[in-house]
Amino acid sequence: MAYSAPRGTVDILSDQSGKWQQLEQLLRTICANYNVKEMRTPIFEHTELFTRAVGDTTDVVTKEMYSFEDKKGRSITLRPEGTAGIARSYVEHKLYSLPEKLQKYYYMGPMFRYERPQNGRQRQFHQFGVEMLGLESPYTDVEAMVLAVTVVEALGLKDIKLHINSLGDDESRDAYRDALKQHFQPVLNELCYDCNQRFEKNPLRILDCKVDRDHPTMKTAPKTIDYLSESAKAHFDKVCSLLDDLEIDYVVDTNLVRGLDYYSHTVFEVISDDPKLGAGATVGAGGRYNTLISELGGPVVPGVGFAFGMERLMIAMGDEMVEEDGLDVYIMPLGNEAKDLSMQIITMLRANGFTCDMDQCDRGLKGQFKSADRFHAHFSMIIGEDEVQKEVVNMKCNHSKEQTIVPLENIVEFIEKHYEGGHHHE
């Protein structure tokens, strides 16, 4: 039987993994600039965590989760998103009692959703996200948004716009829910089964419906922004004025409601019209959630965060950022004695921090030079019978084409001096 990867999963082969590492390093560097620390949570959690945190009426929970029973009959789910795990860990380890009230975390890694695979969207996909826990402050909202925009700009995407909206506090949401129910009640029999289910539990989710999105009542539905309480309006006005001060291009998008149940106050999406992704592509999204921590058994701790699909970021990155570093040295032995000596030299060079490889296929020089080219090696080190007897090596710089005979004990010093002289990757 010929085996293949399950539908909706892809192998990241070695010629692609360098690009992934480059993206990961960029994200880590930006997070370090913002004093955001990494947190790594398990890839699977108790199913109840996601039904509680993400919401049992969401598409993620009702249709897309990979859930199974373990050997003790407990329901376990492969994580479909990252926020719930961070929130669970925050409560479990009582991180709310740390002296710094504002805790900032990032995560990156595989997530799992059972949905139709398409370009940039797989069943096992990778997500990068940031969570800032501890303060209900418009300043924290804006810091999260600026971080999200910084990531997208660092990848070189053009035509970026921040779309923002406010769902308000509990008082605002209750008023808005009532207005939505009054709006959709007369046409319920024209809406799909899912919308009817959501009508009682979470009418906001009706606005996200893919089936009924062209129904005339969708266009005329009330806007969250018209139902904000005084304090919620003040919070949102401050967010807008801070973005104005920072000269960040944004648009208030009253259709933006975000799919997960835990959001309140500010919600946002980073949209790009860059041709690499197609017009109006959502690159990343997030918002404020003030009840999630208490829902999971912790104290009342507000939070704000966002997530990016990393496959999307890889498409955004294109090929221009990828630059093959190449090996420092590729060693070319000719004959068995030379191979024995090469093994000692390569081990010594690696211990000194150099990247290197050697030919183990007993090929002639022509074939070995081709490998040196493929590996973008800075030096080719040629060792034949003559070199073994004289205890030297023949170092060829593949940029300048110069060859130098170097005694064994001077190899490290020779390479270091060469690099210090600015000859690297000319």
Side-chain angles (χ1 to χ4, degrees), residues 161 285 401:
K161 191 158 255 177
K401 308 300 181 199

PDB file of all heavy atoms in Angstrom, residues 161 285 401:
ATOM      1  N   LYS A 161      -5.013  47.661   5.972  1.00  0.00           N
ATOM      2  CA  LYS A 161      -5.935  48.521   6.710  1.00  0.00           C
ATOM      3  C   LYS A 161      -6.457  47.767   7.928  1.00  0.00           C
ATOM      4  O   LYS A 161      -6.748  46.579   7.851  1.00  0.00           O
ATOM      5  CB  LYS A 161      -7.092  48.965   5.818  1.00  0.00           C
ATOM      6  CG  LYS A 161      -7.919  50.074   6.458  1.00  0.00           C
ATOM      7  CD  LYS A 161      -8.688  50.875   5.432  1.00  0.00           C
ATOM      8  CE  LYS A 161      -8.065  52.234   5.188  1.00  0.00           C
ATOM      9  NZ  LYS A 161      -8.734  53.007   4.158  1.00  0.00           N
ATOM     10  N   ALA A 285      -6.694  38.543  13.091  1.00  0.00           N
ATOM     11  CA  ALA A 285      -7.848  39.162  13.742  1.00  0.00           C
ATOM     12  C   ALA A 285      -7.816  38.890  15.240  1.00  0.00           C
ATOM     13  O   ALA A 285      -7.164  37.957  15.700  1.00  0.00           O
ATOM     14  CB  ALA A 285      -9.126  38.598  13.125  1.00  0.00           C
ATOM     15  N   LYS A 401      37.550  32.166  -5.458  1.00  0.00           N
ATOM     16  CA  LYS A 401      38.206  31.063  -6.205  1.00  0.00           C
ATOM     17  C   LYS A 401      39.673  30.878  -5.783  1.00  0.00           C
ATOM     18  O   LYS A 401      40.404  30.117  -6.404  1.00  0.00           O
ATOM     19  CB  LYS A 401      38.144  31.252  -7.746  1.00  0.00           C
ATOM     20  CG  LYS A 401      36.746  31.519  -8.294  1.00  0.00           C
ATOM     21  CD  LYS A 401      35.786  30.394  -7.998  1.00  0.00           C
ATOM     22  CE  LYS A 401      34.407  30.656  -8.574  1.00  0.00           C
ATOM     23  NZ  LYS A 401      33.354  29.852  -7.954  1.00  0.00           N
TER      24      LYS A 401
END
